[in-house]
């Protein structure tokens, strides 16, 4: 293959020394000697998705896809094929005759990535090339809505496919419309911030990670671009397992969420730290690990960075619906045990 | 080897002889027995090196085949009617990507009203999808066409749909010659894809194409089908030399010498038409049949040659483009429109939703074409009494209720059955 990729074991990616960035409780690299720095700062890190693609500045999906596919390629010694659903990731990576993908890549339709991946995996099995693994990827629209039937079928058959959903909570490629992954109250092009119940309504939407767990497949995880080492670890773990696997990554969309491009990581981190986006792993139908919240922040801190929630804070007035959003966070924290009763760091 | 066997099972055996590597199965009447047969062959171990995948929908069936084919495996699936519509997006995608998938279509009507019986509406709905469409007249031809289909598909790198009449062929028990493996292996070389997903030399497949190149992409798809006009007869000829019988090709002529009236049709109805023609020939009527095997690509030149000498052409088809007429007649009209002495064209729609097409009705239709030609599309054996009553009733009552149910009620009244009011 044309792109030699440095193999770095996940345990090497974990820093021995920890420096927290001021005011954010994030582990940083800048104060560490270069030799001790983690993969993120390595100069010869690989790029399954090379530069020159046309994603927006600060695109969470581009970042998530690069780290996820890089990790999957490392885990498979580059013997990897990607199937892509229609969507932003497909459009911005392959403006032919250019392509950003450094691995064999197939785009068929919006709603069939999981099934196409099943077909690729079947071809590899019949050709006795099971060393070649298959990743299917799509946005939340292509996964939780239009691709859901194919996804469930792939899960149920336990086909040897890792499906990665880059969840930016809406149809961003078509101009920010609501999907079944759009959170309550969020303004989209089809859930306008007007009327008595502005934005997306409460009581709708679905959690595909939970549904994936209910299929009893070998591995399910949620991840975030705010913790790329955790994402890499999960992808690596997923590739060590055979059968149907699902990883859903929270990837903020600066355009669709109305957040500053330089705030992508911050917004993603706050989504985790307030309990809005629980990060967990499940194996064979049981939750096995959760990412604890280091220091809980109120949901307002997460909401206020995004214009899609701006109608909740009109004229300095806090909308009562913020309390309901906080309740969702609290319920997530309780359900997954995201906060220990006694925090040892305190 | 000669076997007394159901059409579907004969097709399953023929497909197995083609050594498919990935088969996607989803049940839909009347195609189901084919994938059932294949499933059994895989389970019992007589079809080896084959992944048989029970999928959750027709959309997934063809999508799995797309993935398998793009990764270099010989892929097969089968469907019918609503199933073809449900996979429609993938049908266009498979041809757009140039993947040589072979799919059997057990021809069946499309609802509503729901109807499981045979006609060609399903095939017609995908006639412009870029797939080749070959229609079998008999179960022997259905068997042979599948073997030829893989050869044509892989030579052109385009998908092929083998259309077989639901029930009439799929469920008929008859004597069929199943070729042996050595002969099929000699005729059909292993699949050597023109492009393939391979980590050793990564390529991206399925990119977006804008206005700068879309016309050229479509032109080349059309060009490939024009190439097929040469390849289909060539491979049929090779098949005839190797297996000792004529199957496939673009079209076939039956007693067309000196014919003044030519009938054109596709599929299993050609048997009944041939019997009718024999009887009419006995009466001294100069009539013949042109059977179209390849509907896509449409054999324009071959048809012009075949129809040039006739005075009248009657097209009988099991489908109707509502609001226009018969699609086959329309295509034939386009083929002969610039002939210096073009025959008169008479369009008849028959056998919709499985209605029997009888020799008596055909006799009447063929004789009428010469002496009392009709304008537009003739619906053979239309129950005018029922239709008339319903049209009349609807004039009186604007809130007229569901059409299908009303027609059935009128039918009951017209035939003297007790009907609930």
């Amino acid at each position: 293959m044309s792109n030699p990729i440095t193999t770095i074991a996940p345990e090497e990616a974990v820093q021995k020394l920890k420096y927290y960035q001021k005011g954010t409780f994030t582990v940083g690299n800048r104060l560490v000697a270069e030799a001790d720095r983690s993969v993120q700062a390595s100069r010869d890190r690989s790029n399954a998705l090379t530069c020159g693609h046309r994603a927006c500045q600060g695109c969470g999906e581009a970042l998530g896809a690069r780290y996820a596919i890089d990790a999957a390629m490392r885990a498979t010694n580059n013997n990897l094929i990607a199937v892509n659903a229609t969507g932003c990731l497909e459009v911005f990576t392959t403006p032919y005759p250019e392509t950003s993908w450094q691995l064999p890549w197939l785009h068929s339709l919006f709603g069939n990535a999981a099934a196409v991946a099943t077909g690729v995996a079947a071809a590899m099995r019949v050709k006795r090339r099971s060393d070649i693994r298959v990743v299917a990827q799509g946005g939340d629209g292509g996964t939780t809505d239009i691709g859901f039937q194919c996804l469930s079928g792939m899960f149920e058959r336990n086909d040897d496919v890792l499906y990665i959903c880059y969840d930016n909570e809406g149809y961003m490629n078509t101009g920010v419309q609501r999907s079944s992954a759009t959170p309550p109250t969020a303004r989209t092009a089809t859930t306008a911030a007007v009327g008595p119940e502005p934005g997306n309504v409460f009581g709708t939407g679905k959690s595909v990670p939970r549904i994936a767990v209910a299929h009893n497949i070998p591995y399910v995880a949620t991840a975030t671009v705010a913790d790329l080492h955790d994402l890499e670890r999960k992808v690596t773990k997923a590739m060590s397992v055979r059968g149907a696997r699902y990883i859903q990554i929270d990837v903020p969309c600066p355009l669709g969420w109305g957040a500053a491009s330089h705030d992508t990581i911050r917004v993603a981190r706050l989504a985790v730290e307030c309990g809005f986006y629980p990060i967990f792993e499940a194996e064979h139908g049981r939750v096995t690990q959760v990412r604890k919240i280091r220091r809980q922040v109120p949901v307002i801190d997460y909401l206020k960075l995004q214009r899609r929630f701006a109608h909740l804070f009109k004229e300095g007035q806090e909308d009562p619906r913020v309390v309901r959003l906080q309740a969702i966070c609290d319920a997530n924290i309780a359900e997954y045990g995201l906060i220990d009763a006694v925090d040892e760091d305190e | 080897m000669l076997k007394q066997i159901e059409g579907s099972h004969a097709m399953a055996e023929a497909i197995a002889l083609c050594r498919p590597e990935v088969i996607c199965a989803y049940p839909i009447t009347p195609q189901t027995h084919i994938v059932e047969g294949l499933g059994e062959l895989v389970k019992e171990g007589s079809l080896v090196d084959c992944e048989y995948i029970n999928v959750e929908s027709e959309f997934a069936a063809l999508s799995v085949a797309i993935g398998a084919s793009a990764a270099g495996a010989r892929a097969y699936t089968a469907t019918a009617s609503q199933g073809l519509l449900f996979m429609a997006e993938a049908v266009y995608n498979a041809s757009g990507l140039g993947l040589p998938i072979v799919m059997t279509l057990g021809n069946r009507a499309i609802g509503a009203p729901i109807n499981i019986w045979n006609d060609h509406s399903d095939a017609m709905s995908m006639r412009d999808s870029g797939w080749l469409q070959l229609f079998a007249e008999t179960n022997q031809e259905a068997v042979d066409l599948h073997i030829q289909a893989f050869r044509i598909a892989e030579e052109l790198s385009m998908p092929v749909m083998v259309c077989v009449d639901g029930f009439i062929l799929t469920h008929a028990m008859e004597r069929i010659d199943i070729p042996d493996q050595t002969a099929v292996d000699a005729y059909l070389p292993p699949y050597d894809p023109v492009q393939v997903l391979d980590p050793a030399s990564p390529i991206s497949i399925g990119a977006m194409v804008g206005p700068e190149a879309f016309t050229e992409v479509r032109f080349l798809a059309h060009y490939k089908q024009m190439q097929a006009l040469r390849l289909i007869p060539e491979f049929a000829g090779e098949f005839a030399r190797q297996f000792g019988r004529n199957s496939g090709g673009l079209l076939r002529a039956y007693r067309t010498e000196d014919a003044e009236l030519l009938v054109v049709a596709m599929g299993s109805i050609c048997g009944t038409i041939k019997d009718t023609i024999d009887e009419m020939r006995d009466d001294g009527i100069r009539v013949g049949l042109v059977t179209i095997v390849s509907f896509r690509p449409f054999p324009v030149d071959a048809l012009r040659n075949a129809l040039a000498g006739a005075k009248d052409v009657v097209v009988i088809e099991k489908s109707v483009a509502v609001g226009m007429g018969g699609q086959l007649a329309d295509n034939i009209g386009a083929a002969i429109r610039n002939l210096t002495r073009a025959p008169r064209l008479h369009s008849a729609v028959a056998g919709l939703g499985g209605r029997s097409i009888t020799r008596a009705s055909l006799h009447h239709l063929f004789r009428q074409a010469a002496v009392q030609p009709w304008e537009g599309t003739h619906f053979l054996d239309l129950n005018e009494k029922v239709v008339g009553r319903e049209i009349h009733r609807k004039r009186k009552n604007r809130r007229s209720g569901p059409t299908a149910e009303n027609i059935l009620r009128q039918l009951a009244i017209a035939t003297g059955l007790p009907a609930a009011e």
Side-chain angles (χ1 to χ4, degrees):
Chain A
M1 213 171 144
S2 55
N3 57 328
I5 286 173
T6 321
T7 307
I8 298 161
E11 58 270 21
E12 288 175 46
V14 181
Q15 286 174 263
K16 312 248 171 358
L17 274 167
K18 286 187 176 178
Y19 292 94
Y20 296 109
Q21 287 175 12
K22 195 180 169 194
T24 66
F25 287 82
T26 309
V27 180
N29 260 322
R30 275 171 290 182
L31 300 174
V32 188
E34 199 168 326
D36 297 328
R37 286 184 190 174
S38 61
V39 190
Q40 196 173 338
S42 165
R43 280 182 186 152
D44 35 51
R45 69 175 308 287
S46 59
N47 271 333
L49 177 64
T50 56
C51 59
H53 61 71
R54 298 176 186 182
C56 305
Q57 201 176 49
C59 174
E61 186 174 39
L63 179 65
R66 182 156 64 88
Y67 272 79
I69 302 300
D70 278 352
M73 286 181 79
R74 282 196 296 272
T76 57
N77 198 23
N78 292 345
N79 282 321
L80 188 71
I81 296 173
V83 174
N84 216 123
T86 308
C88 275
L89 183 62
E90 169 259 326
V91 170
F92 75 65
T93 56
T94 53
Y96 241 67
E98 296 153 21
T99 176
S100 287
W101 296 105
Q102 301 301 301
L103 76 168
W105 179 91
L106 173 66
H107 161 245
S108 173
L109 295 168
F110 198 4
N112 70 353
V116 172
T118 291
V120 175
M124 291 307 121
R125 211 157 46 239
V126 78
K127 293 189 174 298
R128 299 191 174 82
R129 285 303 308 270
S130 291
D131 57 315
I132 299 176
R133 309 293 298 279
V134 187
V135 168
Q137 51 184 354
D140 51 288
T143 304
T144 71
D145 288 343
I146 197 170
F148 190 65
Q149 179 171 314
C150 285
L151 183 72
S152 178
M154 186 275 280
F155 285 167
E156 165 275 316
R157 291 185 301 267
N158 200 25
D159 293 328
D160 189 25
V161 172
L162 167 61
Y163 192 104
I164 303 174
C165 170
Y166 304 104
D167 177 14
N168 54 22
E169 302 180 346
Y171 291 89
M172 303 320 188
N173 190 42
T174 45
V176 196
Q177 292 82 18
R178 177 204 181 269
S179 79
S180 62
T182 302
T185 74
R187 178 202 69 194
T188 70
T190 49
T191 55
V194 294
E197 206 173 349
N200 194 30
V201 295
F202 280 93
T204 62
K206 57 179 146 178
S207 163
V208 172
R210 282 186 179 88
I211 298 168
V213 171
H215 283 75
N216 287 334
I217 56 175
Y219 187 70
V220 176
T222 56
T224 168
V225 287
D227 192 345
L228 293 167
H229 291 326
D230 181 61
L231 167 61
E232 289 177 310
R233 184 184 63 76
K234 283 168 175 167
V235 172
T236 308
K237 185 168 178 183
M239 296 316 291
S240 73
V241 180
R242 292 277 172 178
R245 291 142 288 143
Y246 181 74
I247 295 179
Q248 182 171 304
I249 310 169
D250 187 31
V251 292
C253 170
L255 180 82
W257 294 13
S261 292
H262 60 254
D263 274 342
T264 297
I265 303 299
R266 194 167 159 215
V267 170
R269 186 183 306 128
L270 289 169
V272 175
E273 296 292 299
C274 72
F276 203 70
Y277 211 93
I279 302 297
F280 69 93
E281 283 175 286
E283 291 170 50
H284 300 285
R286 279 176 202 283
V287 175
T288 52
Q289 234 183 98
V290 298
R291 186 193 188 282
K292 299 285 181 184
I293 292 173
R294 278 184 47 80
R295 188 190 62 160
Q296 190 186 2
V297 295
V299 74
I300 295 175
D301 291 10
Y302 169 65
L303 302 174
K304 276 196 159 172
L305 287 173
Q306 308 169 55
R307 285 198 303 281
R308 63 174 172 161
F309 297 113
H311 56 278
L312 299 177
F313 307 102
K314 263 188 195 159
E315 293 141 21
Q317 291 285 308
E318 187 185 306
D319 190 287
R321 274 174 283 266
V322 172
V323 177
R324 294 183 70 183
L325 290 169
Q326 183 61 54
I328 290 173
C329 297
D330 296 342
N332 282 338
I333 290 167
E335 181 182 349
Y336 290 99
L338 300 178
I339 296 176
D340 287 334
V342 182
D343 193 333
E344 58 188 6
D345 283 349
E346 279 174 0
Chain B
M1 191 176 82
L2 283 176
K3 277 185 179 177
Q4 183 71 16
I5 189 171
E6 190 201 45
S8 291
H9 274 93
M11 285 180 247
E13 289 192 15
I15 292 151
L17 289 171
C18 297
R19 302 187 186 277
E21 293 169 299
V22 175
I23 294 171
C24 320
Y26 190 78
I28 182 167
T29 304
Q31 155 282 134
T32 313
H33 290 184
I34 302 173
V35 289
E36 283 174 4
L38 284 163
E40 210 175 308
L41 291 171
V42 173
K43 272 261 183 199
E44 74 186 16
S46 48
L47 174 53
V48 294
D49 293 331
C50 178
E51 292 285 325
Y52 183 89
I53 302 169
N54 282 296
V55 290
E56 76 284 352
S57 75
E58 288 91 355
F59 178 62
L62 192 51
S63 297
V64 170
I66 285 170
S69 186
R74 184 174 282 168
Y76 169 84
T77 190
T79 192
S81 181
Q82 316 294 139
L84 184 68
L85 293 192
F86 194 52
M87 64 163 68
E89 196 189 6
V91 171
Y92 274 75
N93 190 252
S95 58
L97 292 173
L99 300 173
I101 297 161
V102 170
M103 175 163 73
T104 312
L105 186 68
N107 292 117
R108 167 184 151 181
I110 287 172
I114 186 168
N115 176 299
I116 61 164
W117 293 279
N118 166 245
D119 71 28
H120 290 170
S121 333
D122 50 3
M124 289 300 123
S125 77
M126 288 298 126
R127 69 187 185 278
D128 303 325
S129 64
W131 284 57
L132 279 69
Q133 289 184 317
L134 307 176
F135 281 79
E137 180 180 338
T138 63
N139 269 324
Q140 184 65 63
E141 187 168 47
V143 162
D144 299 346
L145 276 183
H146 279 94
I147 297 163
Q148 295 182 29
F150 281 104
R151 179 86 189 273
I152 297 162
E154 289 167 14
E155 181 70 24
L156 276 176
S157 204
M158 285 299 263
V160 178
M161 207 180 284
V162 181
C163 303
V164 297
D165 282 322
F167 294 111
I168 299 167
L169 293 183
T170 56
H171 287 56
M173 293 285 290
E174 55 183 323
R175 195 182 74 154
I176 299 166
D177 183 14
I178 308 286
D180 66 49
Q181 187 68 64
T182 330
V184 174
D185 286 346
Y187 179 80
L188 180 66
Y191 175 34
D192 179 21
V194 291
Q195 58 175 20
V196 71
L197 296 167
D198 179 9
S201 66
I203 48 165
S204 298
I205 304 176
M208 178 176 262
V209 173
E212 73 284 355
F214 201 79
T215 306
E216 286 68 26
V217 170
R218 277 291 167 270
F219 172 83
L220 285 172
H222 183 65
Y223 177 76
K224 268 193 188 180
Q225 290 235 351
M226 295 303 103
Q227 282 183 298
L229 287 173
R230 178 178 54 79
L231 279 177
I232 291 168
E234 192 182 310
F235 288 155
E238 208 176 299
F239 187 91
R241 283 191 295 280
Q242 204 161 322
F243 295 88
R245 65 176 164 265
N246 288 313
S247 284
L250 297 174
L251 48 79
R252 265 193 304 274
Y254 179 75
R255 302 190 78 168
T256 54
E257 72 290 351
D258 78 356
E260 292 182 329
L261 172 71
L262 282 177
V263 180
V264 185
M266 303 193 293
S268 62
I269 187 57
C270 292
T272 315
I273 294 173
K274 283 176 184 171
D275 288 347
T276 311
I277 284 171
D278 288 346
E279 289 163 6
M280 289 174 76
R281 282 268 176 186
D282 290 347
D283 293 344
I285 300 168
R286 283 149 68 180
V287 55
L289 168 71
V290 174
T291 299
I292 293 184
V293 180
S294 169
F295 181 67
R296 286 292 180 272
F298 198 65
V300 171
D301 290 337
L303 259 173
R304 284 164 65 94
N305 289 336
L307 302 180
K311 270 172 34 187
D312 291 282
V313 169
V314 177
V315 181
I316 300 177
E317 59 193 300
K318 293 180 171 182
S319 173
V320 60
V322 177
M324 198 287 277
Q327 295 99 334
L328 181 60
D330 183 46
N331 280 211
I332 289 168
I336 63 173
R337 68 184 163 197
N338 288 331
L339 281 176
T340 37
R341 291 175 62 192
R344 289 190 299 183
L345 192 66
H346 315 276
S347 166
V349 168
L352 296 185
R355 178 165 295 183
S356 296
I357 303 173
T358 63
R359 288 210 309 277
S361 296
L362 292 177
H363 268 288
H364 185 67
L365 183 79
F366 298 162
R367 286 169 203 267
Q368 247 198 330
V371 297
Q372 201 185 4
W374 59 89
E375 284 296 315
T377 307
H378 176 73
F379 285 73
L380 191 70
D381 295 338
L382 178 75
N383 191 332
E384 287 171 10
K385 202 170 164 188
V386 166
V387 173
R389 283 180 64 106
E390 177 61 10
I391 291 170
H392 177 69
R393 203 187 60 76
K394 274 192 171 173
R395 272 199 205 114
K396 288 194 302 186
N397 186 0
R398 194 163 164 272
R399 288 174 60 86
S400 48
T403 308
E405 287 72 10
N406 286 340
I407 289 281
L408 291 176
R409 189 177 293 129
Q410 297 295 354
L411 181 66
I413 295 165
T415 50
L417 289 171
E421 284 299 326

